Amino acid sequence: MMGRMSSKSTAKRADALRSIDSIVQAAADCLGRNPEASLSEIARAAGVGRVTLYAHFASRAEVVDAAMTRALDRGDEALESVDLTGDPRLALARYVEAGWHLVDQAQALLAAAQRELTEARIRELHAGPAARVETLVTRGRAEGVFRTDLPISWLVNVLHTIMHSATEEIRAGRLTSDHAAAQITATVLAAFTPPGTPVPDQGLRATTP
Amino acid sequence: MMGRMSSKSTAKRADALRSIDSIVQAAADCLGRNPEASLSEIARAAGVGRVTLYAHFASRAEVVDAAMTRALDRGDEALESVDLTGDPRLALARYVEAGWHLVDQAQALLAAAQRELTEARIRELHAGPAARVETLVTRGRAEGVFRTDLPISWLVNVLHTIMHSATEEIRAGRLTSDHAAAQITATVLAAFTPPGTPVPDQGLRATTP
């Protein structure tokens, strides 16, 4: 009897986990295409009913939060494989190259998050990537290649801000996706250079004006 | 008879203009304190009824647009008096000093605009300030003090993006308003420095870490 009940509730729990997982995946997909995707669309894409969706998520904000959390967890796993050792300036260029693709792919989802979640929550969800940059900036400062006259938190924010602003420039038709990583890197490396020392030349081709 | 009719309609028109002006001013004030201020609150602050407000503005977005337009027109007038001649780097520092105060004051209104207006419309409303920076960047490039390896539009965007990100840092409790202009200037001057040449030292005090 106990055995049957417990295996029944185990099965129910497994069902619930599968439903939640399908909803979060569908939310990441749908909101990743269209930040205004409705909860009905998301439920349909997940192959569950609206009632099931509402059984697991109290609001649209909770669905967006779960989709954002998944995207950032996956993104942070991808960043894990980026080599951030060696010359901090070259490590930064590699981080931007990898991070930019993640930001570019997650644009629509981030737009949904900016409507539904607080600035503080979005910042909290970025804690993983922010910690990676913080470690790199700290090392670059210790090695004398990044500036120490501005707070570390400010430099981390400058990098992420400029990365995100590139998506706006692309939407405005003033930047192409294939030039973005090089422009972001050139800008951020200069912004991080200690006053009195020369801005590194990354051998970018001229894109004037 | 004609005379009376025309003076009547002139008076009606003058009334309408006064109402519109009061509503736009009240919207700028109310949304400037709280980006979620309701149209009822705005009508009340303007001393008009909701019916009058809806007679002149079809939607919340139209009210926000009018308030943003007024704030940016006033802001652009204030920037008109900033001396942007002489060394382009010092001119940029003066622009940031003045522009930062405007951005800081208009934070809540901008938050309302970001919810109600498109990115393209917000960009369009910033055309005045953007043109000033564009002229300054172009001159700085011609004089060899600003980089030419990145597009002018990108550099203008970097300046405004970093300026706006400072408001987030202040809300997150990681920057104080009185340090903001100096940090923005130090960051942007470095970002604008041509590769191979030293980042100017603006004699900022160290704010490590």
Side-chain angles (χ1 to χ4, degrees), chain A residues 80-154:
Chain A
E80 176 70 44
S81 68
V82 178
D83 175 16
L84 297 183
T85 62
D87 185 325
R89 290 163 298 193
L90 299 177
L92 188 75
R94 290 191 294 272
Y95 178 87
V96 168
E97 184 69 47
W100 160 251
H101 285 294
L102 296 169
V103 168
D104 195 26
Q105 283 161 19
Q107 275 185 55
L109 180 56
L110 181 68
Q114 283 168 333
R115 284 175 214 182
E116 297 292 337
L117 310 180
T118 63
E119 217 169 67
R121 178 62 181 152
I122 294 176
R123 185 186 289 272
E124 192 182 354
L125 288 170
H126 281 81
R132 294 184 193 283
V133 179
E134 200 174 306
T135 304
L136 177 56
V137 169
T138 304
R139 187 165 69 80
R141 283 156 67 111
E143 295 182 16
V145 295
F146 293 156
R147 67 197 305 167
T148 55
D149 63 330
L150 297 175
I152 291 174
S153 60
W154 172 260

Side-chain angles (χ1 to χ4, degrees), chain B residues 63-145:
Chain B
V63 174
V64 171
D65 193 298
M68 236 344 234
T69 302
R70 168 164 307 196
L72 274 152
D73 284 352
R74 299 261 162 104
D76 202 46
E77 276 166 32
L79 293 174
E80 175 70 46
S81 68
V82 178
D83 175 16
L84 296 183
T85 63
D87 185 326
R89 292 164 295 192
L90 299 177
L92 188 75
R94 288 191 294 270
Y95 178 87
V96 168
E97 184 69 47
W100 160 251
H101 285 294
L102 298 168
V103 167
D104 194 27
Q105 283 160 19
Q107 276 185 54
L109 181 56
L110 181 68
Q114 281 168 334
R115 284 175 213 183
E116 297 291 338
L117 311 180
T118 65
E119 218 169 65
R121 178 60 181 153
I122 293 176
R123 187 186 287 274
E124 191 183 353
L125 288 170
H126 282 81
R132 293 185 193 281
V133 178
E134 200 174 306
T135 303
L136 176 57
V137 169
T138 304
R139 187 165 69 79
R141 283 156 69 110
E143 295 181 17
V145 296

